Amino acid sequence: MPLFDMPLEELRVYKPQRKEPADFDDFWRETLSEARQHDLAATFEPIDSGLETINVYDVTFAGFGGAPIKGWYLVPRHLPAPLPAVVHYIGYGGGRGYPLEWLEFPSAGFAHLVMDSRGQGSDTADMPNGVNPAVPGYMTQGILDPRTYYYRRLYTDAVRAVDAIVTRSEIDQKRIAVTGGSQGGGLCIAAAGLRDDVAYCLPDVPFLSHFRRAVDITPNNPYQEIARYLATHRDKIDVVFNTLAYFDGVNFAARMQAGAFYSVGIMDTVCPPSTVYASYNQVRSQKRIVEYHYNNHEGGGAQHLLEKIRILRELWLA
C-alpha cells in the first residue's frame, strides 16, 4: 500500500481543532455514575488452565447497565505482591478467546486482565439490547443519540474493567496500565481519559479517533460502516458526527494524565495515521510514539509488543 495520508512532517504536528460537545464531561460523569449504581459484583473464578507458572481466573463484573462482562485474569504464580497490572482491550469484532492467547504480560511479571467486548465475537452479550455476540458491525448501532450509541456501553465497560482489577489485593494501584490495538487502543485512550488513576496508556494503531477525517478518507471498515449509513441517511450527517464527538479519542487524549506510548502504521488504511496523530498530539503528559513507516494496520506486531513490555518493566520492575 503506498502512502496515502499526509507527509510525515505534517503528521507529526497535526493537531486539528477539537469539536467537543459543551456537556462532554457532564455526559461521561453521569454515565459512569449511573453504571456505578450497580454493584460491581466482580468475581474471579480460578480455572485449571494447565499452566505451571500462571494462575488463570474466569472474570465476571458488572459493566454498563449492570450487564455481566466477561474477561480473563492471569497472574504470575511465584512473584510476590504487590504486582503491576495491565488491563487489555480487544480489537474490533474480537473476543477474549482462550487464556493461552494472553501469556505475554503475565509471563513478563504483570497481572493481566483481558476484557471481553460486549456483543463482539466471544462470551459477552450486548445486554439489554441483544442475547448473543454477533459479527460486525457495531459502528452505527444507536448512533443518532449519544445516550443510545453502542460505544457508550463499551467505553463504560472499559472503565469498569479497571474498577474490577483494583479490587484485587495483589495489585499495586499506583502501577496500572491500559493497552490494546485498534479498537482496543481506542478503548484504552478512553479509559485513561476517564480515570485519573491509570498510570500508563499504550494504544497500538488506535481506532475511534478523529471520526470525520477517518470516515472521509479511509476506504476500509470499520469506519466505512458509518459512510455507508450516511449514504442512505443523507439528512443525518450532523446528528451522527455530533454523537461521535462524545466518543472521539481526540477528546479523551486531551484529558489523559497517564504517560502514553503510541504506535502508528504510516501506511495504515484502517486507522489512518492522521487520526492517530490527532489523538497523540493532544496528550499533555510524558509521551512517545513509534512510527512503522512501511506497515499497515498490523503496526509493529510482535516487535512493538516487546517494546511495550520493555518500557513497563523499566518503569516498574527494574
Side-chain angles (χ1 to χ4, degrees):
M1 176 68 199
L3 295 173
F4 74 102
D5 206 338
M6 300 175 182
L8 189 55
E9 60 271 17
E10 294 181 21
L11 289 171
R12 289 172 174 165
V13 296
Y14 183 56
K15 193 175 181 180
Q17 182 177 358
R18 289 192 290 123
K19 296 182 179 179
E20 181 179 295
D23 64 341
F24 182 93
D25 290 316
D26 289 340
F27 173 83
W28 282 107
R29 189 178 301 110
E30 292 168 8
T31 294
L32 296 179
S33 176
E34 289 174 12
R36 286 174 173 144
Q37 289 176 17
H38 299 274
D39 185 355
L40 182 63
T43 61
F44 295 78
E45 298 294 333
I47 67 167
D48 181 4
S49 65
L51 301 174
E52 291 293 331
T53 60
I54 295 171
N55 292 326
V56 180
Y57 300 82
D58 185 353
V59 178
T60 308
F61 63 89
F64 179 89
I69 307 301
K70 299 297 293 182
W72 296 121
Y73 181 58
L74 299 93
V75 187
R77 184 170 295 176
H78 303 301
L79 294 181
L83 293 170
V86 177
V87 180
H88 204 141
Y89 307 111
I90 298 168
Y92 192 71
R96 67 172 179 164
Y98 294 93
L100 288 171
E101 299 175 66
W102 305 104
L103 300 183
E104 296 92 344
F105 283 105
S107 297
F110 301 88
H112 191 203
L113 176 64
V114 181
M115 187 190 86
D116 204 34
S117 297
R118 64 165 63 219
Q120 297 189 28
S122 193
D123 298 321
T124 304
D126 183 15
M127 301 299 290
N129 300 299
V131 294
N132 60 270
V135 299
Y138 313 100
M139 295 301 296
T140 62
Q141 291 184 16
I143 201 169
L144 298 183
D145 186 330
R147 300 192 67 81
T148 60
Y149 190 42
Y150 168 80
Y151 279 95
R152 182 182 183 224
R153 303 190 290 280
L154 192 59
Y155 284 19
T156 301
D157 296 344
V159 172
R160 295 287 269 170
V162 182
D163 291 351
I165 202 169
V166 299
T167 68
R168 300 294 300 183
S169 61
E170 69 271 15
I171 293 303
D172 181 349
Q173 297 191 15
K174 294 183 179 180
R175 293 186 292 169
I176 296 175
V178 290
T179 193
S182 193
Q183 175 184 261
L187 292 176
C188 77
I189 292 168
L194 290 168
R195 285 197 65 127
D196 294 343
D197 57 347
V198 170
Y200 220 78
C201 179
L202 304 98
D204 296 336
V205 292
F207 182 44
L208 304 166
S209 286
H210 203 11
F211 283 100
R212 185 62 182 261
R213 179 168 175 82
V215 172
D216 284 353
I217 73 170
T218 181
N220 293 346
N221 287 329
Y223 285 120
Q224 277 301 299
E225 292 178 24
I226 299 170
R228 290 196 300 275
Y229 179 89
L230 293 175
T232 300
H233 301 276
R234 300 172 180 88
D235 59 335
K236 303 299 185 186
I237 294 173
D238 290 342
V239 173
V240 163
F241 285 107
N242 178 69
T243 291
L244 292 172
Y246 289 89
F247 304 91
D248 196 325
V250 171
N251 295 329
F252 292 108
R255 290 166 167 76
M256 188 190 303
Q257 297 185 35
F261 182 54
Y262 278 58
S263 72
V264 59
I266 302 302
M267 294 185 175
D268 192 341
T269 57
V270 176
C271 297
S274 57
T275 69
V276 176
Y277 278 96
S279 166
Y280 176 77
N281 288 332
Q282 289 290 341
V283 176
R284 299 167 187 161
S285 57
Q286 183 178 10
K287 62 184 179 180
R288 179 186 165 202
I289 190 167
V290 179
E291 300 159 348
Y292 294 98
H293 191 96
Y294 290 101
N295 288 93
N296 200 308
H297 197 51
E298 75 279 5
Q303 176 181 332
H304 192 73
L305 173 59
L306 288 171
E307 274 294 290
K308 293 196 296 183
I309 290 172
R310 182 188 64 78
I311 281 177
L312 291 181
R313 286 184 61 85
E314 287 179 355
L315 278 172
W316 293 339
L317 294 175

